Amino acid sequence: MGHHPTGSAVSVSISIARIEGRNLLHLIDEFLELVGGPRTSADPALARLAPTAYPDDDAAAAEFRRGTRDELFDRRRKDALVMREDLVEFDTDGDGDPLAPHDVVIPDARVDAWMRTLAAIRLVVASRLGVDHDDHHDPEDTRFHVYDWLGYRLDDLIQRADDADAATA
C-alpha cells in the first residue's frame, strides 16, 4: 500500500466475527512468542520465516543470515504488534453472539503489516503441518482448516486493498 498517486490515505474495512478476532489474537500471540524467542533455534517454522538466501552456498547463506535474520524477525514482530493493536477490542470474551460480525477498519499505512503478518503466520502453520505448497494438503482434513482460513483472510484483505487502491487511482 502507500502508493496512491493522489497521496490520499484510504482505509480497508474487513468484517470478522468476534470469535475470528479472538482466534486471530491467539495466533498473533503465539507468533509473537515464536519470533521473540531464541532465534538460533532449529525450529523449521523459523527457518521458513527466514529462508536461505543462498541454497547452494552454505558459507554465504550463514553470513547473510547473520546479517539479516534479527532485522527480519524484528520487522515481523513489529508487524504482528500492529495487527494485534488493531484487533485489541477482541481481547475480551465479551457478551453477545461470538459469530456476530464486526467491522475492523485498517488504515492504509497498516495494511501491509497485516498482509505480511497473515502470510507469516500462515507459513508457520504450513511448517507445522508439513505443507510445502497450497495443493499439498487435503482440504477435507480438519487439521488444515486454520491454514485455509488464514489464506482466505489474506486473499480477502489483498482484494479489498486492491479495490481501495483502484478507487483512489
Side-chain angles (χ1 to χ4, degrees):
M1 306 289 331
H3 53 282
H4 302 290
T6 61
S8 63
V10 297
S11 59
V12 174
S13 180
I14 60 170
S15 182
I16 60 176
R18 290 214 154 285
I19 193 161
E20 283 184 288
R22 286 195 298 270
N23 287 338
L24 268 174
L25 280 175
H26 178 73
L27 289 169
I28 291 167
D29 289 343
E30 287 184 354
F31 181 75
L32 286 166
E33 216 173 286
L34 177 68
V35 297
R39 294 175 178 176
T40 57
S41 166
D43 187 331
L46 288 176
R48 191 97 180 248
L49 289 172
T52 301
Y54 303 99
D56 299 327
D57 186 342
D58 290 342
E63 183 65 29
F64 183 82
R65 193 171 30 256
R66 270 192 299 279
T68 61
R69 190 172 177 136
D70 283 343
E71 184 179 314
L72 175 63
F73 285 136
D74 287 346
R75 190 185 92 201
R76 290 193 184 281
R77 185 177 179 284
K78 286 177 188 170
D79 286 344
L81 287 170
V82 163
M83 188 173 172
R84 190 181 200 302
E85 184 178 299
D86 291 342
L87 293 169
V88 74
E89 66 192 89
F90 294 101
D91 212 0
T92 62
D93 286 335
D95 296 326
D97 182 359
L99 300 177
H102 181 74
D103 288 338
V104 177
V105 178
I106 308 163
D108 177 64
R110 298 168 79 90
V111 170
D112 284 345
W114 272 66
M115 286 186 208
R116 288 189 297 261
T117 300
L118 285 169
I121 292 172
R122 193 165 186 253
L123 281 175
V124 170
V125 171
S127 174
R128 299 287 189 245
L129 294 172
V131 174
D132 291 329
H133 44 79
D134 278 345
D135 60 351
H136 193 227
H137 76 284
D138 176 2
E140 300 303 314
D141 185 335
T142 57
R143 295 176 304 147
F144 295 94
H145 287 180
V146 170
Y147 173 79
D148 291 334
W149 172 69
L150 287 166
Y152 161 75
R153 280 289 164 204
L154 180 58
D155 288 344
D156 182 53
L157 182 57
I158 290 168
Q159 185 60 55
R160 289 174 186 275
D162 285 348
D163 291 348
D165 276 349
T168 62

